[in-house]
Amino acid sequence: MRVDRQTREHHQEEGSQGEHLRLRETGSDAYRHLLLKAGDNLVGSDRDCACRLEDRGISRRHAVIRVEPERCLVRDLGSKNGTRVAGLPIEQDVLRLGDEVTFGATRWKLEAVPDDDVDLAVEVEPPSDHGEATSIEDETLPLTAESPSLPAGVELPVGIVAGISPAIVELYQQLAALRRGDVAVLITGETGVGKEHLAQAVHLGSPRRGGPFVAINCAAVPSELLEAELFGIGKGVATGVAARRGKIRQAAGGTLFLDEVGELEQPLQAKLLRILQEKEVIPLGESAESVDVRFIAATNADLGSRIGQGQFRADLYYRLAGFELAVPALRDRAVDLPILVGHFIRQINREIGKRVRGLTVRAMSVLRERPWPGNIRELQNEIRRLVYLCPDGQAIDSAMLGEFRASPRGPIELLADRLELGSQPLAVFLEALERRLVERALEQTGGNRSATARLLGISRNGLTIRLERLDLGD
């Protein structure tokens, strides 16, 4: 049935006026967007449809939307459940910006899209073996064509990307300095930056690369079990307890990676120090045994502060930190974002059998503005979510990103997270913060006390009292 456009109450100018066009799904839980290219855009459930919809009521070839220089046409292809424009069934009709078109059970609105949300900042090729799944690890970073050449003697684990930011290039140069020798290494950095992968790179660049690389997370194993897990336990030490070699002896001839080493309790710190000094391990219930192991430790804690608080042994720190590597946070290497994003899209495309073709310039701008407290692990999880949401054959645009949801913490919470509790009394932290906020308010208001009080949300008299107490008076 053909419905004449004049029967509708709204009247808008025809044609796209040179704008890019997309269909946005409507509804309270809708999230999908379909970018329309010039010419015919086939809508249906078939895999070769440009606008593929695997929804209830969608035919294999449901409709076609034709984008021309001066107009946009929608034509039903004899679908089982029909196509509607503004709620009325059609065979063919002209779509104007803001019009709602229904395919089967889903409703879509025609919108204009700015150039920077169509142009791609990251473009990926579809997977060559479509549908083949691959397993990946958290924090995996791929080696890509965009990566720079690495310093001589530096080798990254399979699947790890070489970034191009100055901070990460400097780190590679430090890795090159470690390619000989057997010095213990301490890797520091925030959670999610890829400390274990860097430890693997140290191992691969060393003479021990032919030996095992054994990792243990000191914070993930209960303290009462960690001793046996690390040092081993003899047969028959306790009823029902089986003999265990322990991670240290398992790493003989290779490298032992101690993640979150700052979480070790004091008794285990003393035993680990003995191993580093004497090159021998004493399993529970057994005699001492010589071990040939290189130790690499990692932490996201401030070990210097913990030493000052008596929570970590200074002598153990100096044994572990023969060479210290500081891994930069993602926010300090934003130039690497396109490399990382492109890899994660390719990787997740292969994993779940999709053909997401990239990420737009505007979407990349949004990603660059985010603080990424969870670093690369958080970025990977966000790209995974976006690939799942993005329609097959489309690119991720800014409308799919939504609000930043990765961390509910505001600036006050993030500041509190950075404070090393116990290094100063609470009153000292609070006074320093109060002083800085009052100083900033005075700067912003040019010293006007009434305006400063309003900015801080306190009374003028309350401000006067604070100025006297903080010695900030005229």
Side-chain angles (χ1 to χ4, degrees):
M1 174 181 178
R2 165 75 179 177
V3 178
D4 194 291
R5 174 61 93 181
Q6 294 179 352
T7 63
R8 306 212 192 118
E9 295 181 356
H10 58 85
H11 297 276
Q12 299 171 305
E13 292 183 2
E14 290 189 13
S16 63
Q17 303 300 319
E19 295 275 7
H20 302 285
L21 298 177
R22 74 175 168 207
L23 294 176
R24 179 200 292 267
E25 186 181 9
T26 62
S28 58
D29 59 347
Y31 59 83
R32 293 178 297 181
H33 309 83
L34 300 173
L35 185 67
L36 303 175
K37 66 181 191 309
D40 288 341
N41 298 263
L42 189 60
V43 180
S45 61
D46 265 2
R47 192 162 192 81
D48 61 350
C49 290
C51 299
R52 187 184 180 204
L53 302 175
E54 297 180 290
D55 300 338
R56 178 172 56 87
I58 296 294
S59 299
R60 295 178 59 224
R61 292 174 171 262
H62 194 102
V64 64
I65 299 174
R66 181 168 182 80
V67 177
E68 300 177 349
E70 298 299 329
R71 63 177 182 172
C72 180
L73 297 171
V74 58
R75 177 165 54 91
D76 187 76
L77 297 178
S79 64
K80 181 177 180 180
N81 292 288
T83 300
R84 291 173 171 78
V85 175
L88 300 172
I90 60 99
E91 292 179 1
Q92 178 172 300
D93 210 345
V94 176
L95 287 178
R96 298 179 175 87
L97 294 179
D99 275 353
E100 186 176 87
V101 57
T102 303
F103 305 112
T106 56
R107 295 174 299 164
W108 305 78
K109 181 176 288 187
L110 186 68
E111 297 180 337
V113 190
D115 287 344
D116 65 353
D117 223 7
V118 174
D119 298 336
L120 297 182
V122 175
E123 185 172 5
V124 304
E125 294 295 327
S128 57
D129 187 4
H130 191 61
E132 180 183 356
T134 58
S135 61
I136 61 175
E137 301 173 2
D138 290 343
E139 302 184 48
T140 296
L141 309 181
L143 187 61
T144 68
E146 298 93 331
S147 304
S149 57
L150 294 169
V154 175
E155 180 180 348
L156 301 183
V158 174
I160 306 299
V161 67
I164 59 175
S165 64
I168 205 71
V169 170
E170 181 181 350
L171 192 64
Y172 299 152
Q173 293 169 348
Q174 295 179 51
L175 281 178
L178 285 171
R179 67 184 184 272
R180 296 186 182 89
D182 220 21
V183 64
V185 178
L186 178 64
I187 303 174
T188 60
E190 298 176 6
T191 182
V193 295
K195 295 186 288 293
E196 181 170 348
H197 286 159
L198 187 62
Q200 292 172 343
V202 174
H203 173 73
L204 287 174
S206 75
R208 294 178 175 269
R209 61 175 297 150
F213 177 88
V214 178
I216 183 170
N217 188 319
C218 300
V221 181
S223 57
E224 61 272 16
L225 302 178
L226 186 56
E227 181 174 1
E229 190 70 20
L230 269 175
F231 306 109
I233 187 170
K235 182 178 180 180
V237 170
T239 303
V241 176
R244 186 178 306 171
R245 283 188 55 79
K247 298 293 187 182
I248 294 174
R249 288 190 289 181
Q250 289 177 22
T255 301
L256 178 67
F257 175 61
L258 299 168
D259 198 8
E260 302 301 342
V261 71
E263 303 305 315
L264 282 176
E265 295 188 356
Q266 289 278 357
L268 292 182
Q269 292 180 32
K271 292 189 174 185
L272 180 59
L273 178 63
R274 173 182 171 79
I275 294 172
L276 287 163
Q277 291 175 334
E278 306 298 332
K279 302 296 182 184
E280 63 178 23
V281 62
I282 305 178
L284 293 171
E286 294 186 357
S287 56
E289 178 181 328
S290 296
V291 288
D292 175 27
V293 174
R294 183 183 195 173
F295 286 86
I296 301 177
T299 182
N300 58 15
D302 184 349
L303 293 186
S305 295
R306 295 201 173 187
I307 290 171
Q309 299 161 26
Q311 297 175 349
F312 199 84
R313 297 178 62 114
D315 48 3
L316 177 59
Y317 169 79
Y318 292 120
R319 284 285 182 178
L320 291 173
F323 196 105
E324 188 166 340
L325 294 171
V327 187
L330 181 57
R331 61 182 171 275
D332 297 326
R333 46 179 300 204
V335 69
D336 290 331
L337 269 176
I339 297 174
L340 304 180
V341 168
H343 164 66
F344 291 142
I345 293 176
R346 294 184 191 96
Q347 192 177 58
I348 299 163
N349 270 344
R350 291 193 302 267
E351 182 183 274
I352 65 176
K354 289 196 75 170
R355 295 177 296 175
V356 172
R357 62 186 187 88
L359 181 132
T360 68
V361 172
R362 178 170 291 197
M364 179 59 70
S365 297
V366 174
L367 294 183
R368 289 185 189 279
E369 294 299 317
R370 293 187 175 178
W372 301 112
N375 292 288
I376 293 171
R377 184 184 298 119
E378 180 187 353
L379 174 66
Q380 183 181 30
N381 289 339
E382 175 68 354
I383 298 303
R384 180 183 301 279
R385 182 184 72 86
L386 292 169
V387 171
Y388 270 85
L389 293 180
C390 186
D392 212 23
Q394 300 280 319
I396 297 167
D397 62 27
S398 64
M400 298 177 193
L401 296 177
E403 296 183 2
F404 180 57
R405 305 177 299 108
S407 173
R409 295 173 295 172
I412 300 300
E413 289 79 8
L414 291 173
L415 173 62
D417 287 347
R418 289 180 171 269
L419 298 177
E420 189 66 32
L421 297 180
S423 60
Q424 296 285 348
L426 178 61
V428 175
F429 283 133
L430 294 177
E431 181 175 334
L433 178 60
E434 183 181 27
R435 175 186 296 275
R436 182 58 188 138
L437 291 175
V438 171
E439 288 175 339
R440 286 186 59 194
L442 287 168
E443 291 170 3
Q444 290 184 31
T445 61
N448 185 304
R449 292 197 176 188
S450 296
T452 299
R454 287 195 298 271
L455 186 60
L456 294 172
I458 59 178
S459 67
R460 196 177 191 281
N461 185 51
L463 174 63
T464 301
I465 294 172
R466 282 174 168 80
L467 291 175
E468 293 175 355
R469 174 167 53 81
L470 298 171
D471 196 23
L472 294 175
D474 294 334

